[in-house]
Amino acid sequence: MGKGLRVIESFSDEQPRQTATEAARRTGLTRTAARRYLVSLVHYGYAATDGKHYWLLPAVLRLGRSYLESARLPRLAQPFLQRLSMQIGETANLGVLDGHEIVYLSRSNSPRVLSIGFHAGARLPAHVVSPGYAILSTFDEAALEVWIAAHDFAKFTPQTIAAAEGFRAAVEATRRLGYAFVDQYIDAGLCGLAVPLTDRRARCVGAISTTFQAQAWPREAALTRLLPALQDAAGAIRAVL
């Protein structure tokens, strides 16, 4: 099963269609093994093929949806996120770190007609969204150095922190302050605010965050009006973990 999942993970934005040979190269499997798993994916309706290339079908989303619907953390957090969203008038999210990406597990839409934020299941590089800084601020120095050394600091906007030194300093600042504020790191005009989410044993299990327009919430206003609500929500969730 593990090797089959590696084949699924080998598909990406850069390579949405691939041959058995390409899948083998990306997964470290033999061509025969990669083709066997690809054929199985086709058989069960998770992929399609034209006889040479393979590509994933929407049915593969059921795998992630099963986790989101069964996992305890998103279910526990959802009512608190809903209350937070109504309180601040913006989208509220629960995110976790998966390797070098933030995965958004749960979202509560804002009362606005047009809400801003990331849907459940979205994955983004950790260095461009506030939950990444919030979660990594709970790492010890050794673990943080290992993570930074292996990370690809791609630049999304002129404001993106795309150097290891700057990122390390930003994480250390987050650790001191207890919150992360990102200013247009992923998209012009969008800011993010996040606080670490810890359980009753003080172990970090994710981050509570919100994404908003920079024009609507200048930094000081966001820290004055939004941050206390995020901190209260994290504290309330902590009590039930």
Side-chain angles (χ1 to χ4, degrees):
M1 176 179 288
K3 293 178 181 179
L5 294 175
R6 281 162 55 191
V7 171
I8 292 176
E9 292 176 346
S10 70
F11 291 91
S12 65
D13 287 342
E14 295 77 22
Q15 195 143 10
R17 296 164 60 95
Q18 56 185 338
T19 64
T21 299
E22 290 168 335
R25 184 171 62 250
R26 292 168 67 89
T27 59
L29 300 172
T30 65
R31 182 186 181 281
T32 300
R35 184 179 183 281
R36 182 170 65 250
Y37 288 115
L38 288 167
V39 170
S40 294
L41 290 174
V42 172
H43 174 74
Y44 289 107
Y46 292 114
T49 181
D50 59 8
K52 179 179 180 182
H53 291 89
Y54 296 82
W55 57 92
L56 297 180
L57 294 177
V60 78
L61 295 173
R62 293 200 298 262
L63 300 175
R65 178 57 57 185
S66 296
Y67 167 76
L68 293 175
E69 292 178 351
S70 64
R72 178 173 178 266
L73 179 58
R75 286 188 289 108
L76 286 177
Q78 187 61 40
F80 296 97
L81 295 178
Q82 186 66 45
R83 185 171 63 186
L84 171 62
S85 183
M86 294 299 295
Q87 182 180 354
I88 65 177
E90 299 289 350
T91 299
N93 288 95
L94 164 67
V96 298
L97 184 68
D98 180 21
H100 290 263
E101 296 178 314
I102 290 296
V103 181
Y104 289 90
L105 298 185
S106 188
R107 161 179 168 147
S108 180
N109 290 335
S110 76
R112 301 173 185 268
V113 175
L114 180 62
S115 60
I116 299 171
F118 307 105
H119 61 81
R123 306 176 70 95
L124 292 166
H127 72 286
V128 298
V129 287
S130 56
Y133 293 82
I135 295 172
L136 287 162
S137 72
T138 68
F139 280 32
D140 62 35
E141 293 298 331
L144 180 60
E145 287 302 317
V146 170
W147 191 94
I148 290 175
H151 190 65
D152 177 18
F153 289 96
K155 200 168 184 66
F156 286 68
T157 73
Q159 285 75 32
T160 303
I161 296 178
E165 296 77 9
F167 180 80
R168 184 183 299 104
V171 171
E172 291 172 351
T174 297
R175 186 182 294 128
R176 292 193 303 271
L177 296 170
Y179 66 85
F181 183 93
V182 301
D183 187 358
Q184 306 178 79
Y185 288 2
I186 189 170
D187 199 0
L190 291 185
C191 294
L193 186 63
V195 296
L197 176 61
T198 58
D199 63 16
R200 282 175 289 181
R201 296 183 180 180
R203 297 175 300 189
C204 182
V205 296
I208 301 299
S209 66
T210 184
T211 303
F212 48 89
Q213 293 181 332
Q215 186 175 6
W217 292 98
R219 183 186 182 103
E220 290 307 314
L223 296 182
T224 301
R225 299 282 299 280
L226 303 182
L227 178 58
L230 263 68
Q231 292 170 327
D232 289 346
I237 297 172
R238 182 186 308 118
V240 300
L241 293 179

